[in-house]
Amino acid sequence: MSALASTEAADPRYAGLDAWEDEAILSALLDGQKRGLDAVTTVIPDIARAAELAVAALRAGGRLVYLGAGSPGLIALSDALEIPQTYGIARDRIVILMAGGQAMTEELLGGPEDDTEAGAADIAQAGVGPNDFVICLSASGTTRYTVAGLAAAKAAGAKTAGIAGNANTPLLDQADVAILLSTGAEVISGSTRMAAGTAQKATLNMLSTLIGVRMGHIHDNLMVNVTADNAKLVLRATGIVARVAGVDPDVAADALRAANNEVKPAILLAAGAKNPAEARDLLLRSGGVVRAALALMGQA
């Protein structure tokens, strides 16, 4: 119970908070959010290790599986949905498992968090196996659904990461990579969607971004595998093609259209590839890395 107390404890500094002035309450809440972000600093090596395992899974034809309950489940959902859009990773390579299922996005209930059988069953139904990487989130580190899901994933041969706010808890003890976010007591006792949630969100932002970088979907600091499916993103993609290929926007736009709005082959077309087929062949030979493909063209 001592481990649980760190995220469930009532911090005496905030006694009487309900009688404080609005600005004082908001300042305290902001301070808590900052502490949440500070907690991420010490786990950067662990996030890097998790990204390494995730990239290995994706390159082996496996999937990223997000597993969570309650607020951590919603945070995981947000990150998972962004990856195909931002980095062009195929949607069937991302799996989202939440206690209570997608209905939790309409009404968040606490009961499903305690469903141990559902945690294991969801992993089995998703067909999780040795090529997959499972990211498990729980502020307490003891959520029954999430702990059971992690154990089932390991039994199926998958590699796992546990992200939690308390040391010496089942989620962290069993995970291949343990990411301990020591956010401590919340300003509002037990409201772990606050500092703990902020730390979880930052951790997932960093993890999925590093995965995108190592998968070859970033060139310099540009999203070269973004899914350009609306006007804003087509404009962004055109700018990326122009900048990387060193061409005018009109040339970049023509290349993007010829490449069916796919940024990587459009860059190579704008840089001198004869046709989309040649551009895609260059990407295949370079492992999908734009910098390497440009080097094959003698332009890196």
Side-chain angles (χ1 to χ4, degrees):
M1 293 300 294
S2 59
L4 182 61
S6 74
T7 52
E8 292 293 323
D11 192 325
R13 289 180 296 172
Y14 306 113
L17 177 141
D18 59 297
W20 294 4
E21 296 292 335
D22 290 352
E23 290 81 358
I25 294 172
L26 293 173
S27 293
L29 293 173
L30 179 58
D31 184 58
Q33 301 293 285
K34 291 177 179 177
R35 291 199 308 274
L37 290 175
D38 288 342
V40 182
T41 303
T42 60
V43 299
I44 286 177
D46 301 316
I47 298 172
R49 174 58 180 156
E52 181 182 347
L53 292 177
V55 169
L58 289 169
R59 286 180 174 161
R63 300 167 297 171
L64 291 183
V65 181
Y66 288 76
L67 181 76
S71 293
L74 295 177
I75 292 167
L77 175 67
S78 173
D79 195 71
L81 289 176
E82 290 277 3
I83 292 175
Q85 182 76 35
T86 305
Y87 298 121
I89 294 174
R91 294 185 185 278
D92 64 1
R93 297 297 87 196
I94 309 294
V95 178
I96 306 163
L97 302 177
M98 295 175 61
Q102 297 298 313
M104 293 297 101
T105 62
E106 297 182 3
E107 183 180 9
L108 193 62
L109 303 174
E113 297 185 16
D114 293 333
D115 195 338
T116 300
E117 292 183 1
D122 284 353
I123 288 291
Q125 186 173 6
V128 171
N131 287 338
D132 296 324
F133 183 65
V134 185
I135 303 167
C136 307
L137 289 90
S138 164
S140 69
T142 62
T143 305
R144 294 175 184 176
Y145 171 89
T146 310
V147 171
L150 184 145
K154 285 182 66 68
K159 294 296 185 182
T160 61
I163 302 174
N166 295 293
N168 303 314
T169 48
L171 196 73
L172 296 185
D173 290 346
Q174 296 178 36
D176 294 295
V177 179
I179 301 176
L180 171 60
L181 300 171
S182 298
T183 52
E186 298 283 352
V187 175
I188 307 300
S189 177
S191 182
T192 52
R193 73 184 183 93
M194 302 298 288
T198 293
Q200 292 165 11
K201 176 60 175 169
T203 296
L204 290 185
N205 282 348
M206 294 163 64
L207 174 58
S208 57
T209 299
L210 185 55
I211 291 168
V213 172
R214 296 306 177 212
M215 289 294 293
H217 302 324
I218 300 295
H219 180 90
D220 292 332
N221 62 338
L222 303 172
M223 303 176 193
V224 292
N225 213 36
V226 64
T227 300
D229 59 359
N230 65 28
K232 178 190 75 174
L233 294 175
V234 169
L235 184 61
R236 179 186 299 169
T238 302
I240 291 170
V241 172
R243 180 171 173 178
V244 177
V247 298
D248 292 336
D250 288 345
V251 174
D254 289 342
L256 193 62
R257 281 190 291 270
N260 196 30
N261 279 2
E262 294 179 43
V263 178
K264 287 184 181 182
I267 290 170
L268 301 181
L269 283 171
K274 295 177 182 177
N275 51 52
E278 182 178 76
R280 289 186 171 85
D281 179 66
L282 286 164
L283 287 168
L284 182 64
R285 290 162 55 196
S286 64
V289 178
V290 169
R291 194 176 302 278
L294 289 170
L296 291 175
M297 298 175 66
Q299 297 194 28

